[in-house]
Amino acid sequence: MALQQDSISITQEGEDLLDVQLPQYYREGFFSKDSLFHPELPGGRFGVAGDPVPYSIHNDSVITSILLAFFILVVIAIANIHEFIVRQFKNFFYIPREGTSEMTETGTELRIQVFMVFLSSLLLSLLFYFYTIHYIGDTFVLESQYYLIAVYLVLMIVYFTAKVILYSVVNSVFFDSKRKQHWFKTLLFISSMEGLILFPAVLLQTYFDMSEENVILYFTIVLFFVKILTFFKCYVVFFRRNVVKLQIILYFCALEMVPLIAFWVTLDIVVKSLKINF
């Protein structure tokens, strides 16, 4: 009877794992310190670390968020000024007569165009970022590679601001206020529409693996087309009644091509100064 009570007490003692009075052979065993037997113990990493997944633009959530925000904002902007855009396209190649009154833009239309120039700057910054990743490198002294997009965006805003200042200074010397205002509105419209034309190229490269050479070709054609339109409007606004037609070449090269070349050189210097060379 006593032996039976002892066996029952031992069994109850062995089943109670929280009892600190357990014998040593109950509390220690082969798996007592194994992390699989004790989930409260840190187990560490099992297996061999694999190769990191290579960077891909279409898997970048930040780039996707920027493009989605760009698309939504452009749709909202066009919905608010779509009549103005259609009117501008219709009158873009129209040569007004002397004394003809021009249609004026509202304050909302001007503000939306300025905002669309900012969006165009953001899109161009993404294109330069893609170019940098593919042709220059992806290691920079910046904490995050997305800071490079911010640097490009700041440079683009400075570029457009510098162009406006240069045009304002030169036009104030040689032309009257009416033609200056007409040219400023034309330049604002062309710059705001430039981003819309480049948007398909960014989407094709990001999500459909369009080759970098085709993107560069697309960008070059768009840039050439934009400069031709700018040259045409420059002739219509300023030099149509000018006897010396060659002045337009000096004007266009000094205020359009030289700032563009200077901007490209500045981009090259900034990228080389930020890139880590091994």
Side-chain angles (χ1 to χ4, degrees), residues 91 93-102 178-179 182 236-237 240-241:
N91 297 328
F93 296 98
Y94 173 72
I95 300 178
R97 297 179 181 178
E98 290 288 343
T100 304
S101 59
E102 299 176 2
K178 183 179 180 180
R179 285 191 285 181
H182 186 187
V236 171
V237 175
R240 181 166 54 93
R241 295 178 298 273

Side-chain angles (χ1 to χ4, degrees), residues 48-219:
V48 180
D51 296 331
V53 178
Y55 175 77
S56 179
I57 296 175
H58 64 268
N59 291 328
D60 196 321
S61 58
V62 176
I63 301 297
T64 302
S65 301
I66 293 175
L67 293 177
L68 181 61
F70 178 89
F71 177 76
I72 294 174
L73 292 174
V74 166
V75 169
I76 295 174
I78 293 177
N80 284 276
I81 60 170
H82 65 280
E83 295 181 356
F84 165 77
I85 294 176
V86 172
R87 188 171 68 246
Q88 285 284 7
F89 274 117
K90 288 181 178 179
N91 297 328
F92 193 85
F93 296 98
Y94 173 72
I95 300 178
R97 297 179 181 178
E98 290 288 343
T100 304
S101 59
E102 299 176 2
M103 290 181 292
T104 59
E105 294 87 349
T106 62
T108 302
E109 291 170 346
L110 288 175
R111 287 191 295 269
I112 291 178
Q113 285 184 92
V114 172
F115 181 69
M116 290 181 67
V117 172
F118 171 78
L119 294 179
S120 299
S121 302
L122 179 60
L123 198 65
L124 287 170
S125 303
L126 287 177
L127 282 176
F128 286 128
Y129 171 73
F130 297 160
Y131 175 84
T132 303
I133 293 298
H134 288 292
Y135 289 101
I136 299 178
D138 56 356
T139 54
F140 298 91
V141 297
L142 303 173
E143 295 181 1
S144 174
Q145 59 184 1
Y146 303 117
Y147 290 161
L148 188 62
I149 301 177
V151 172
Y152 286 160
L153 179 59
V154 172
L155 291 176
M156 286 299 306
I157 294 174
V158 171
Y159 167 71
F160 281 115
T161 305
K163 280 182 59 176
V164 171
I165 294 175
L166 285 174
Y167 274 119
S168 299
V169 172
V170 174
N171 293 342
S172 298
V173 176
F174 296 102
F175 307 107
D176 55 55
S177 59
K178 183 179 180 180
R179 285 191 285 181
K180 286 191 304 181
Q181 186 178 10
H182 186 187
W183 174 248
F184 173 75
K185 294 177 181 179
T186 301
L187 189 65
L188 183 63
F189 177 74
I190 293 175
S191 301
S192 62
M193 293 296 106
E194 187 175 0
L196 298 180
I197 302 175
L198 292 173
F199 188 56
V202 178
L203 292 180
L204 289 173
Q205 184 179 19
T206 304
Y207 299 109
F208 297 97
D209 296 328
M210 185 178 180
S211 64
E212 293 77 20
E213 291 78 10
N214 291 333
V215 174
I216 293 175
L217 179 62
Y218 185 97
F219 174 78

